[in-house]
């Protein structure tokens, strides 16, 4: 018996599929269950990239200290004033979900601002389309979007080989 259950109602991420509509930017104040701190030495350039390229907005600013950026609910980034940033991107990355129809336009927007900082989009064996971006702060960000699930497709076989029950297919599935 599995301890997993369908809890998609707590997520702002819509079900994948043609015409999936992303939620509106979320402007509410809540206790953040997780967030990312990104050190920056160039607040204006950082904010421009995160807002124009990655689709975030300024939730609020603490002058000289930080800019709180957000996209959807639970997609929070704090750009924190720092004396320096890493010279090279880290091997570590962090990911933000989107919808499939956003991946190409976000990749293009990021390329327009930093042409050599974008890798992808590419499809993954776990049924997502991802684009990796290196921000002005040398943070490695992955924009990821679930693809529609094909129970007869290779991704379904990949997931099954990993022990992941497909949606709606018994214990642990979206309807099981």
């Amino acid at each position: 018996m599995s301890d997993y259950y369908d809890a998609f109602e707590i997520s702002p991420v819509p079900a994948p599929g043609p015409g999936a509509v992303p939620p509106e930017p979320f402007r509410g104040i809540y206790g953040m269950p997780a967030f990312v701190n990104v050190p920056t030495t160039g607040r204006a350039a950082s904010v421009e990239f995160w807002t124009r390229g990655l689709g975030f907005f300024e939730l609020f600013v603490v002058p000289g200290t930080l800019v709180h950026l957000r996209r959807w609910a639970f997609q929070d980034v704090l750009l924190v004033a720092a004396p320096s940033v890493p010279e090279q991107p880290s091997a570590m990355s962090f990911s933000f979900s989107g919808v499939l129809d956003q991946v190409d336009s976000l990749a293009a927007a990021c390329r327009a601002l930093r042409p050599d900082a974008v890798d992808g989009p590419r499809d993954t064996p776990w049924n997502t389309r991802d684009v990796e971006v290196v921000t002005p702060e040398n943070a490695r960000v992955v924009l990821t979007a679930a693809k529609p699930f094909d129970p007869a497709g290779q991704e379904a076989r990949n997931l099954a080989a990993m022990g992941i029950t497909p949606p709606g297919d018994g214990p642990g599935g979206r309807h099981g």
Side-chain angles (χ1 to χ4, degrees):
M1 176 169 214
S2 171
D3 290 337
Y4 300 116
Y5 56 91
D6 183 338
F8 277 74
E9 69 277 359
I10 68 167
S11 175
V13 180
V21 177
E24 291 295 317
F26 190 81
R27 297 184 184 281
I29 301 297
Y30 52 75
M32 297 184 299
F35 57 93
V36 178
N37 285 306
V38 178
T40 181
T41 57
R43 179 181 160 240
S46 292
V47 169
E48 178 183 33
F49 187 81
W50 284 85
T51 58
R52 288 187 48 219
L54 295 169
F56 283 73
F57 67 91
E58 284 187 40
L59 184 64
F60 65 83
V61 175
V62 178
T65 304
L66 71 83
V67 178
H68 185 151
L69 301 173
R70 180 173 296 151
R71 221 167 133 248
W72 302 351
F74 312 121
Q75 293 186 343
D76 293 277
V77 172
L78 304 181
L79 295 176
V80 181
S84 65
V85 297
E87 290 186 31
Q88 297 294 318
S90 169
M92 188 179 93
S93 66
F94 52 95
S95 301
F96 292 100
S97 291
V99 297
L100 202 53
D101 291 346
Q102 293 180 310
V103 173
D104 289 336
S105 62
L106 288 171
C110 289
R111 271 195 184 96
L113 295 165
R114 292 178 51 95
D116 297 329
V118 180
D119 181 23
R122 66 183 173 283
D123 291 340
T124 69
W126 46 88
N127 206 41
T128 64
R129 181 159 300 139
D130 294 358
V131 61
E132 184 177 294
V133 177
V134 176
T135 70
E137 312 81 23
N138 279 324
R140 192 177 305 276
V141 175
V142 177
L143 299 164
T144 185
K147 298 185 320 187
F149 184 75
D150 175 5
Q154 181 60 48
E155 288 86 354
R157 291 188 290 280
N158 293 341
L159 293 171
M162 291 182 250
I164 297 172
T165 305
D169 202 25
R174 296 246 343 244
H175 305 292

